[in-house]
Amino acid sequence: MSEVRVRFAPSPTGSLHIGGARTALFNWLFARHNGGKFILRVDDTDLQRSTEESMKGILEGLRWLGIDWDEGPIYQSQRIEEYRKFANKLLEEGKAYYCFCTKEELEEMRKQAEKEGRPPMYTGKCRNLTKEQIEEHLRQGRKPVIRLKVPQQGKTVVHDVIRGDVEFDNSTFDDFIIMKSDNMPTYNFATVVDDYQMGITHVIRAEEHLSNTPKQILIYEALGLEIPQFAHVSMVLAPDRSKLSKRHGATSVQEFRDQGYLPEAIVNYITLLGWMPKDGEEIFDVSKGIKEFTLERVSKNPAIYDVQKLTWINGHYIRNYDLDKLTEAVIPFLKAKNLIREDFDYDYIKKIVSAVREREKTLVDIADAMSYYFTEVNEYEEKGVKKYLTKEKVVDILKKAVVTLKEVEPFNKFTTEEAYRKLVEELQISSGELFHPTRLAISGRTFGPGLFDIMELLGKERTIERIEKAIDFIEKMRK
RNA sequence: UGGGAGGUCGUCUAACGGUAGGACGGCGGACUCUGGAUCCGCUGGUGGAGGUUCGAGUCCUCCCCUCCCAGCCA
């Protein structure tokens, strides 16, 4: 058995969306599981739509996810002579031919088929041109495409590792184009030449290409090349079951990254779209995926991605990440919110992250939850105001809290909690009557880390100052 | 119109022809401050109709639904 060689071959015409990332990941897992090679190829023969920016984004997204490639990126646009060489071989052997049909002629065939209720197909009009006719057309400066001569009888069978044998009747194919009139290859042709020359053993890709596969097999056969194994993984669909597109909200790896998802969480989640470890445990790290991944256990169903489940998984990773690593990950989000500049107190941020991580599910949420440690509290949550700051005794309670806190030394979560509980007893009130207004005063919010954690992190001075400010607010509100 | 693939709780995914289970979500409860964290409980499914079989999510037939391909895009 030769070495496993698989490839991921994105077209640089858009972002790396989660469906593509999932396909790349399955290829990568398969390569790593089998001690083989993962090759990155770039299908950039659509010269009009391919962009450098898109290419960069895809590479960056793969790197960020940790999907490293062993060879490449190999650009199709730099291999045009290879495709032309193989096309000429087919021409010389009479297995392909020039077609001079104009776009208008092709359109006419399409309309005729529609009128007769047939599927649109090329009629084979140029299939049997004489050498003289061909030369005459060329002399006139007409630019032909090259079409493969497709056998008109028999079946082509795709032996799919995931789905089993899939049969196609050759009569359903026309003589499809392999080289365009601009002398660039079509997708099906370039793919065959590349996969052969790169020694690809398994073509693992999305199911949308299953219907293209018999055409590729016909090309392999015409060229006399050995056919790789195919595995078509199911589509990842949008929540409305259509193909992923921007109207569905975040779909790309970059967008999820910008929303504060961790690469490990995304990798864990997208692995579950069509596969699962034997023990059924859904949180696992990538080494376990590498150890257990096989194509035979890949599901055939289309999958609809679920942002809520991804978010739940992300929360798990946030709670269990190495604290320093998590702090480093949060810092760009703090900067994006202008909460910190270049000279920040790393240890202080780390302490807050540690307090905040238990209750948040994305890095954006964490940064948001940290804002009141860095900026002044100028607003209070409206529902909190109504619920806690309109009570008759709240001002007296908060004034007494200030007096009490001024005496607390050292000022940490234990001493503040002890002082607060003692105050609750003295005043003969419920804990809530003291704790809730305090939380709102010092954070502006009704939820968050433990109250005494917040106090310790803010420090004595700011805690007291904010409570006093809230007292002012309440008194003004009462006028 | 032709060809191809699929169909298990709302979503993802398990189940040698032999007990339909897990997770997320939703609902409820517990947490001597919150709850948008955590823990516990509940809820909820084999698209439909036949057939084969002692026994069908699983095998067969028909119907229905969804997706993909039929671009000189990939």
Side-chain angles (χ1 to χ4, degrees):
Chain A
M1 164 103 178
S2 62
E3 176 188 56
V4 160
R5 291 173 63 83
V6 297
R7 81 323 191 249
F8 178 58
S11 161
T13 54
S15 304
L16 177 65
H17 62 68
I18 59 173
R22 200 282 307 269
T23 301
L25 179 63
F26 279 9
N27 272 281
W28 185 83
L29 287 171
F30 186 76
R32 297 290 176 264
H33 179 78
N34 289 287
K37 294 293 195 309
F38 175 75
I39 295 132
L40 181 62
R41 188 175 78 213
V42 181
D43 286 4
D44 57 345
T45 53
D46 183 348
L47 299 177
Q48 289 184 12
R49 291 201 296 168
S50 300
T51 68
E52 184 67 27
E53 184 186 352
S54 173
M55 192 63 252
K56 278 183 172 173
I58 290 169
L59 295 182
E60 206 176 274
L62 290 173
R63 285 198 192 98
W64 183 72
L65 290 175
I67 299 176
D68 56 328
W69 48 92
D70 303 299
E71 296 174 24
I74 300 168
Y75 296 85
Q76 280 187 336
S77 61
Q78 293 170 12
R79 292 172 42 76
I80 307 302
E81 289 308 317
E82 295 298 321
Y83 313 129
R84 291 173 185 169
K85 187 170 73 184
F86 279 84
N88 285 330
K89 183 174 189 291
L90 290 176
L91 282 172
E92 285 161 10
E93 294 175 355
K95 294 178 180 175
Y97 60 93
Y98 286 119
C99 169
F100 295 89
C101 295
T102 61
K103 286 194 165 40
E104 292 74 32
E105 287 173 303
L106 296 176
E107 183 60 26
E108 188 55 37
M109 292 177 203
R110 200 169 297 123
K111 281 181 181 169
Q112 190 62 24
E114 185 180 346
K115 203 182 298 181
E116 300 176 5
R118 298 188 274 107
M121 270 175 126
Y122 179 64
T123 60
K125 182 173 177 182
C126 291
R127 185 165 171 144
N128 296 302
L129 294 182
T130 63
K131 212 154 93 180
E132 290 73 32
Q133 287 171 316
I134 291 171
E135 284 174 358
E136 178 61 24
H137 287 309
L138 292 174
R139 203 172 54 77
Q140 292 173 1
R142 295 172 72 171
K143 301 236 161 116
V145 299
I146 302 178
R147 289 180 184 269
L148 187 76
K149 285 188 178 175
V150 172
Q152 295 177 335
Q153 293 182 340
K155 293 180 194 292
T156 300
V157 183
V158 180
H159 305 287
D160 191 290
V161 177
I162 294 172
R163 299 170 193 281
D165 287 0
V166 185
E167 292 188 356
F168 297 81
D169 200 296
N170 290 342
S171 62
T172 62
F173 305 125
D174 60 6
D175 291 344
F176 54 89
I177 297 169
I178 55 174
M179 292 294 285
K180 296 176 275 189
S181 59
D182 61 0
N183 232 357
M184 295 290 281
T186 60
Y187 162 75
N188 284 332
F189 190 63
T191 294
V192 169
V193 175
D194 282 344
D195 287 344
Y196 163 70
Q197 292 192 324
M198 296 176 197
I200 300 301
T201 56
H202 298 75
V203 176
I204 305 168
R205 62 192 173 188
E207 185 192 18
E208 66 191 325
H209 293 298
L210 181 57
S211 302
N212 288 326
T213 307
K215 294 182 183 179
Q216 294 178 9
I217 289 176
L218 290 172
I219 296 171
Y220 276 105
E221 289 173 344
L223 289 169
L225 304 179
E226 185 175 343
I227 300 173
Q229 298 203 53
F230 293 100
H232 289 91
V233 299
S234 56
M235 303 287 287
V236 175
L237 304 175
D240 66 357
R241 292 186 172 275
S242 62
K243 254 176 157 179
L244 295 177
S245 83
K246 291 196 176 157
R247 64 191 173 89
H248 298 115
T251 60
S252 75
V253 170
Q254 280 95 328
E255 283 171 302
F256 284 113
R257 181 191 62 191
D258 294 344
Q259 289 182 11
Y261 291 88
L262 295 167
E264 292 88 346
I266 292 177
V267 165
N268 191 144
Y269 176 65
I270 63 179
T271 307
L272 297 176
L273 294 175
W275 186 87
M276 186 169 276
K278 287 182 191 141
D279 62 7
E281 291 292 325
E282 295 192 296
I283 304 283
F284 53 89
D285 75 22
V286 74
S287 61
K288 179 171 181 169
I290 290 171
K291 186 175 174 192
E292 296 194 18
F293 186 85
T294 64
L295 289 174
E296 287 75 18
R297 297 192 52 251
V298 170
S299 163
K300 299 175 187 177
N301 313 346
I304 299 171
Y305 76 97
D306 181 355
V307 175
Q308 285 181 320
K309 187 157 185 175
L310 168 59
T311 304
W312 171 77
I313 291 178
N314 203 59
H316 175 95
Y317 276 87
I318 281 177
R319 289 190 296 281
N320 291 280
Y321 231 56
D322 174 73
L323 182 58
D324 275 299
K325 218 169 148 198
L326 184 62
T327 304
E328 299 283 357
V330 168
I331 284 166
F333 290 86
L334 296 174
K335 286 178 179 176
K337 289 177 70 75
N338 291 310
L339 296 178
I340 60 173
R341 302 251 193 84
E342 289 305 321
D343 55 337
F344 53 83
D345 182 347
Y346 178 85
D347 285 332
Y348 182 55
I349 290 170
K350 187 174 165 183
K351 281 183 194 159
I352 305 176
V353 170
S354 177
V356 166
R357 72 194 310 201
E358 304 294 329
R359 293 167 179 78
E360 308 297 342
K361 294 181 181 171
T362 68
L363 302 181
V364 166
D365 290 344
I366 290 182
D368 184 57
M370 291 172 72
S371 62
Y372 56 81
Y373 296 99
F374 297 102
T375 61
E376 199 49 58
V377 170
N378 292 315
E379 293 181 332
Y380 307 103
E381 265 184 43
E382 190 176 331
K383 72 172 183 186
V385 173
K386 285 176 184 164
K387 204 167 175 182
Y388 306 123
L389 300 190
T390 54
K391 302 242 165 106
E392 190 178 331
K393 301 191 298 187
V394 67
V395 168
D396 288 340
I397 290 171
L398 287 178
K399 282 179 174 173
K400 293 207 165 60
V402 168
V403 172
T404 297
L405 289 174
K406 279 176 175 172
E407 302 301 320
V408 175
E409 198 62 47
F411 195 83
N412 62 47
K413 65 181 178 184
F414 305 109
T415 54
T416 51
E417 180 167 5
E418 188 184 347
Y420 253 44
R421 293 200 187 281
K422 192 182 294 181
L423 185 58
V424 164
E425 276 186 36
E426 288 172 10
L427 299 180
Q428 296 186 338
I429 57 177
S430 68
S431 321
E433 288 174 279
L434 174 60
F435 291 16
H436 292 159
T438 301
R439 176 184 293 280
L440 195 58
I442 66 180
S443 72
R445 304 172 187 205
T446 58
F447 68 96
L451 179 63
F452 308 110
D453 289 311
I454 300 177
M455 283 190 187
E456 177 174 333
L457 289 167
L458 281 176
K460 185 171 174 180
E461 189 179 314
R462 280 200 288 179
T463 297
I464 289 168
E465 186 181 285
R466 288 187 182 182
I467 295 173
E468 290 175 332
K469 187 174 179 181
I471 291 167
D472 282 347
F473 174 81
I474 297 167
E475 291 180 326
K476 281 179 183 142
M477 192 176 59
R478 285 179 170 174
K479 287 180 181 177

